[in-house]
Amino acid sequence: MTVGGDGRSVASLRLGEEVDVVCRGDSLVSSDGSRRFVVYGEPEWDWWVEVAPDGSELPGMWEFWDDEGLAVCMVA
């Protein structure tokens, strides 16, 4: 199964994966524009999920490290 705009497979999702991101409105977008993350649940929980181009949620839970401009996969 392929996920994301960059053709990654679900099997390639790795705990600790880091993605350079920038804030755009209420979402995070990878620096190359190929990946997008939205808040999961309540904003104070500070969990993010990656979404496919069709808006469906992809596997994994992410934290946003604002000071480093990174989304980091914490649950695969």
Side-chain angles (χ1 to χ4, degrees), residues 3-5 7 11 14-16 19-20 23 32-33 37 39-41 44-45 50-51 53-54 62 64 69-70 74:
V3 299
R14 297 284 186 260
L15 187 63
V19 178
D20 290 319
C23 269
D32 68 2
F37 302 83
V39 171
Y40 179 81
E44 60 270 7
W45 296 348
E50 185 173 3
V51 292
D54 68 1
W62 299 75
F64 174 45
L70 293 173
M74 303 305 278

